[in-house]
Amino acid sequence: MNKLNALILIFAALLFTNCFEDNDDIAATDNDINDFVYSGMNIFYLYKDNIPNLADNRFSNNAEYRAFLNSFDSPFNLFNSFLYQPDTVDRFSWIVDDYLALEQQFQGNTITNGMEYALFAAPNSATEGFGVIRLVLPNSPADNAGLKRGDIFYAIDGQRLTNNNLRTLLGQDSYTLNLGFYNDKNTAETTDDSIDPLNEDIPVGKVQYTEDPIYDTQIINVGGENVGYLMYNGFTSGSENELNTVFADFKSNNVQHLVVDLRYNPGGSVSTTAYLASMITGQYTGEVFEKLIYNSTLQNNNTDFNFASKLDDGTTINSLGLNKIYVLATGSSASASEGLINGLEPYLENVVKIGSNTVGKTQASRTLYDSPDFGRQGANPSHTYAMQPLIANGVNKNNETVPGDGLPPSIGFEYDENPLNYGVLGDVNEPMLALALADIEDSMAKFQAIKSKSAQSFKLLMESNELNPLEGGMIID
């Protein structure tokens, strides 16, 4: 056999596999799972052409192929060996050994205490850190404990946060937050600033929680015109009808301006992204919103996602017909969030981006199961491994991708959230929303006053989403 193409490779691998039986009494061996990993990556991986070991003619016979699989002591190591420039290009592919938990997460069901936070280096300390809560989910343990956006914590379970213990302390299922405050000693100098105890301790535990991705909506009157505000924290498949209801309210209230808050949105379903774009617009039905481009051997899979007039269930989409929107985005805005911006920019007169650079992830992924067609149905019951590799590049109608260093804010609209002045999400005085409203009002004085309160020079150590790296993405349903 001089050349094994992808499908022959799968067939041959199955012939020589003894434990790949559809029997839940037999556990799959690492070699069996390695065969699944190789087969899936050989067919679907976006960067297959850049990985010599994934070439269709890599192995001259099955013995050589089996020897290669046996050289890896775990499916994780084999999978990671295929990632193309994982520090710079493919930072986003992964493999899990429990796809049931992964499926729950994609539906917004996670184990969480309901708070997101950012961790910074403490002032005048080379080792200590402090956390600031940036988001509290409704009716979560954090919410029920009275925690709120802007709360500072300096320790957990009585242990001061340091560069070395952040992940360990925050990775626990339950812990006590020791709240603190930023003490500037009533001086303009920062050399004497510190994070001091507030003598308030809040226990929180993690529970199974289903997040509503629509965190907040508002209709705000500015100069006699209505502004719609939507804070959307995840492009969760199935949330389209709820989004459509929000836009029905916007439409009935003659919303003329729209602010879409994606500052903490890590991404999600490509289809849901196209639906939201259709609600914002309405005048481009049938035109290309986003395209997915696959690897060289799967070009027949290339897919266009078009602006639509109806949801999958036939419900008419409530569209605003806008030509300009404001998007609030940060370094936590990724994938489908970036895809929304990138897909709309060729059409709208202006997409005003307020905040900081986004993550820089233009690729889409898909869950691959150990089944004949890599779908969920017929998945091998003897293990629960699944892969989420990058399999396509997301581009707009002009074939433009999102830069690897992210989408920058619009010129003049740069703003880094100040952890000491987060504000209340959805409130007209919350700085990032207030910037959009000031621009709509055409008040340069308000605009400059807000920008002057951007972040101080705090060194960011970590964000809470780094403890949950599998969240979000740009997912092909």
Side-chain angles (χ1 to χ4, degrees), residues 28 33 36 96-101 369 380-387:
I33 301 168
F36 151 62
V96 296
D97 59 6
D98 182 6
Y99 60 65
L100 300 175
Y369 298 90
N380 186 346
S382 61
H383 70 85
T384 53
Y385 276 86
M387 299 182 288

Side-chain angles (χ1 to χ4, degrees), residues 6 9-10 33-49 51 53-56 65 68 75-76 78-84 90 93-95 295 297-298 366 368-369 374 386-391:
L9 181 59
I10 296 173
I33 301 168
N34 283 353
D35 178 66
F36 151 62
V37 170
Y38 189 93
S39 301
M41 294 294 278
N42 170 262
I43 295 173
F44 292 100
Y45 189 44
L46 176 60
Y47 302 108
K48 167 186 174 177
D49 290 344
I51 308 298
N53 279 333
L54 289 177
D56 290 341
Y65 171 62
F68 175 80
F76 289 98
L78 175 62
F79 178 85
N80 290 332
S81 76
F82 296 141
L83 300 186
Y84 177 60
D90 185 0
S93 294
W94 67 73
I95 182 173
N295 67 33
T297 58
L298 291 178
R366 172 195 155 184
L368 300 181
Y369 298 90
F374 297 95
M387 299 182 288
Q388 194 75 29
L390 299 180
I391 66 169

Side-chain angles (χ1 to χ4, degrees), residues 262-267 328-335 337-338 357-360:
L262 303 176
R263 74 184 78 187
Y264 306 136
N265 188 319
L328 311 184
T330 68
S332 295
S333 308
S335 298
S337 292
E338 298 169 296
N357 273 41
T358 59
V359 170

Side-chain angles (χ1 to χ4, degrees), residues 120-123 130 182 190 416 418-420 454-460:
F120 302 91
F130 71 102
Y182 191 94
T190 60
D416 289 322
N418 186 337
L420 303 184
S454 188
Q456 298 180 28
S457 300
F458 292 114
K459 178 184 178 183
L460 180 66

Side-chain angles (χ1 to χ4, degrees), residues 133-134 136 142 146-152:
I133 296 174
R134 66 185 190 187
V136 176
L147 293 168
K148 60 187 183 300
R149 176 174 163 87
D151 280 346
I152 291 174

